[in-house]
Amino acid sequence: MDLTADYNFYLDKAKKIKTKLGFTLQNLTNQRNVLSRDFRAIESFDPDGNSQLNTALLRKIDRVSIGFTPNFILIFSI
């Protein structure tokens, strides 16, 4: 769950410099979300140096989201 708020206003009376001020709170619940999952094969060979493959194991690699993250923005447009 995310929360975002922004406010648009002009910095000058002639309304030539438009400004946007805002903030975002990402991952409010601080949940661990899996963004992608990969599997890699890990090969195990005979310890005697033979080139015969004994076993092949799969290793799961998860890429997870970061925790609670606040972001602030300030944008000027001319």
Side-chain angles (χ1 to χ4, degrees), residues 10-72:
Y10 290 98
L11 199 58
D12 59 341
K13 290 185 180 183
K15 295 186 176 183
K16 291 185 178 180
I17 303 174
K18 186 176 180 180
T19 308
K20 182 176 186 177
L21 178 66
F23 72 95
T24 301
L25 301 174
Q26 294 179 307
N27 200 359
L28 282 172
T29 57
N30 204 23
Q31 294 291 314
R32 180 182 167 162
N33 299 311
V34 176
L35 301 175
S36 68
R37 179 171 286 158
D38 292 327
F39 293 93
R40 301 274 165 89
I42 300 172
E43 299 173 352
S44 175
F45 293 97
D46 186 6
D48 295 331
N50 297 335
S51 62
Q52 293 179 346
L53 179 67
N54 284 343
T55 59
L57 303 172
L58 284 179
R59 179 176 175 213
K60 179 176 72 167
I61 301 171
D62 287 340
R63 289 182 181 83
V64 295
S65 63
I66 58 176
F68 173 74
T69 307
N71 293 308
F72 299 94

